[in-house]
Amino acid sequence: MSRTDIHERVQAHAEERAAQGRQRRRRIVTRRDGVQLEVDGRWLAGFCSNDYLGLALQFEVAAALQDAAAREGAGSTASHLVCGHHTLHEQLEREVAEWLEVPRALLFGSGFAANLAVQQALLTEEEDVCVQDRLNHASLIDATRLAGCRLRRYPHVDAEGALRQLRSATGGAAMLATDGVFSMDGDIAPLRALAQVARSEQALLYVDDAHGIGVVGAQGRGSVAEAGLGVEDVPLQLVTLGKALGGYGALVAGDAELVEHLAGNARPYIYTTALPPAQAAAALAAVKLARRDDWRRERLYELVALFRTSAGRLGLELMPSNTPIQPVLCGSEAVASAMSAALEQAGFLVGAIRPPTVPEGQSRLRVTFSTLHTPQQVQALVVAIADAREQVARGA
Ligand SMILES: *Cc1c(COP(=O)(O)O)cnc(C)c1O
C-alpha cells in the first residue's frame, strides 16, 4: 500500500516556501499605546491594523468589557441554543439591527464562521451556485467549498461579469457574494449594479462588509447603506466586530426569516460556544461610539486625503481607494518585503502583502489608517516609504 507521509508533505511545503522567500512570521506585540506597538522591544508606529476608528483601546469600550467580565465572567459557558445566549448578546443584536435599519441580526463567533454559516445553511444543493468577485475574502471562497455547491468567479468589480456567470449557471439557487470594501485593495464593490444583476437573475446578494462597517457612509452604516440599498436588495450582510469596532466577533444582519433560519440550522452557529458576554458588552459600547462619533470618520478621511496627496507628490503607486485601506504597489514580492523591512528600520510597521493573498506581480504594502494617527505621522510615513523605495532600488 502506498501512503503519503504527512510529515514529509509538510516538510516539502516548508522548503518550497523558504525557497520562494514566502515564510510567514508572527511578530510578538508586547504593549500597545494608541497606534504605537512595541514589537521585539522597539516601539513602532503601526500602519497595519484594522482598528480604523481607534476603538480597540478606547476607554469606554475597554471599561464595558471589564465591567461585564467582573459580573459575568470570562466565558459564555455554552452555545447559544443551549444556555449560552445572554441578554448582552441579545442587546447587541438589537443595537446592530437598529443601526443598519434591518429587521434582525445574529451574532457569530467570528466573521469567518459567519461566512461559512451563511452559505452552508442557504446553498444546500449541489446544483446551487455562488458567484463571487475574484478578489473576495478567503472565508467567502472556503464557504462555497464547505457548502459543496458550484463556485463561479468574475473579474474584480465587474457587474457584467457577475451577470454572465449567473446566466451561464442555471438551475438551483444562486447567491451573489461580494466584499463591500475589498480587504487588500480598499476599493468598494459596485453594489447598485450588483443589486440590479441579482434582482434580474433571482440571486441573493450577500455583502461582506467587514471593512466598510463603521467606516463608510452616514453614521458608519457601511457600504450597503451608502449605496442607498435596503434589505430588499441585500437580504444579508456581514458586520464584523474585529475591525472598525475594535473587538471580536461578527453579525449577519438582514431579512428576519433568513436570519432565523441561520440561527436554527447553520452548523457554524449551532456547534460552537457563544461569544463571551463581556465581549458583546464591549461591542455594544463600540457600536454606540461608531454611530455617534462622526468626528472619528471625518478625521480618518482627512488623514487618507493627506496620505494620497503627499504620496502622489512623491510618485508612490497608489490604488483607486477612498477608504482607510491604501495599498502602495511594489510589484515583486522581494521589493515589497524589502520595503517593509526598511520601513521597520525607520520605525514604521507596515505589512507586505504577497501571493497567494494577492495575485503574482501585485505585491504591495497594505497601509491602513486609524483616527488616532496624527497628520505628522502620516507625512513621516510617506517620506519613509519613498526613502525605502530608493534604498531598495539601490540594492542597499
Ligand atoms: C476579516 C474578514 C473576515 C473575517 O472576519 P473575522 O471576524 O476576522 O473572522 C471576513 N471577511 C472579510 C472581508 C474580512 O476582511
Side-chain angles (χ1 to χ4, degrees), residues 18-240:
Q20 295 170 322
R22 280 190 193 169
Q23 309 97 311
R24 294 193 159 186
R25 183 158 78 99
R26 295 183 303 177
R27 309 302 304 271
I28 299 176
V29 176
T30 37
R31 282 183 291 178
R32 288 194 291 165
D33 179 9
V35 296
Q36 302 289 123
L37 302 162
E38 189 187 48
V39 179
D40 297 335
R42 272 182 75 213
W43 282 96
L44 302 171
F47 283 90
C48 46
S49 91
N50 301 314
D51 185 23
Y52 306 119
L53 299 179
L55 294 178
L57 293 171
Q58 207 277 343
F59 173 77
E60 282 152 272
V61 175
L65 184 113
Q66 284 177 314
D67 289 351
R71 282 178 282 113
E72 306 298 328
S76 69
T77 79
S79 66
H80 285 280
L81 293 182
V82 177
C83 60
H85 190 60
H86 194 278
T87 180
L88 286 163
H89 299 135
E90 191 74 20
Q91 282 174 44
L92 175 59
E93 290 178 348
R94 279 174 201 210
E95 175 82 18
V96 168
E98 190 200 299
W99 182 27
L100 302 184
E101 296 175 358
V102 299
R104 278 276 273 132
L106 184 70
L107 179 62
F108 285 81
S110 74
F112 205 113
N115 276 343
L116 297 184
V118 165
Q119 292 191 45
Q120 195 195 37
L122 301 177
L123 299 172
T124 52
E125 310 301 321
E126 261 175 55
E127 74 208 41
D128 292 348
V129 64
C130 189
V131 170
Q132 302 205 23
D133 188 290
R134 185 157 285 290
L135 297 188
N136 272 355
H137 191 260
S139 58
L140 287 169
I141 304 298
D142 287 4
T144 309
R145 295 201 181 113
L146 177 65
C149 70
R150 291 178 289 172
L151 169 66
R152 296 285 176 84
R153 302 174 84 176
Y154 58 88
H156 184 48
V157 299
D158 180 0
E160 280 180 33
L163 179 64
R164 274 194 297 278
Q165 288 291 28
L166 281 165
R167 288 212 169 132
S168 74
T170 50
M175 183 180 291
L176 174 53
T178 182
D179 283 17
V181 171
F182 286 88
S183 55
M184 296 300 139
D185 294 63
D187 56 342
I188 299 180
L191 293 180
R192 292 188 71 82
L194 290 173
Q196 213 165 7
V197 167
R199 201 175 314 127
S200 78
E201 294 304 307
Q202 294 174 290
L204 187 149
L205 179 56
Y206 178 61
V207 177
D208 173 344
D209 210 20
H211 296 276
I213 207 74
V215 168
V216 173
Q219 270 193 59
R221 283 162 59 220
S223 39
V224 173
E226 178 65 1
L229 300 173
V231 71
E232 340 55 68
D233 306 294
V234 182
L236 293 174
Q237 61 174 302
L238 179 75
V239 172
T240 54

Side-chain angles (χ1 to χ4, degrees), residues 16 48 71 79 108 119 147 185 196 204 223 250 253 255 263 275 280-281 296-298 302 305 311 335 343 350 361 382:
E16 193 190 322
C48 46
R71 282 178 282 113
S79 66
F108 285 81
Q119 292 191 45
D185 294 63
Q196 213 165 7
L204 187 149
S223 39
D255 179 86
L275 205 72
R296 290 180 189 274
R297 279 176 287 279
E298 284 159 15
E302 278 166 22
V335 170
L343 282 168
V350 181
V382 172

Side-chain angles (χ1 to χ4, degrees), residues 298-379:
E298 284 159 15
R299 238 191 102 123
L300 184 57
Y301 284 104
E302 278 166 22
L303 296 169
V304 169
L306 174 64
F307 174 76
R308 288 189 70 87
T309 36
S310 313
R313 224 174 273 140
L314 292 185
L316 300 181
E317 196 177 342
L318 302 183
M319 295 179 70
S321 159
N322 296 314
T323 66
I325 302 170
Q326 290 291 326
V328 177
L329 276 174
C330 303
S332 80
E333 292 178 54
V335 170
S337 302
M339 281 178 68
S340 172
L343 282 168
E344 188 171 328
Q345 278 301 314
F348 299 93
L349 193 61
V350 181
I353 310 288
R354 304 170 294 169
T357 308
V358 292
E360 294 285 343
Q362 289 188 30
S363 290
R364 63 195 67 172
L365 297 172
R366 180 178 181 267
V367 177
T368 55
F369 294 101
S370 158
T371 301
L372 302 182
H373 285 117
T374 64
Q376 292 73 23
Q377 283 174 317
V378 171
Q379 258 154 347

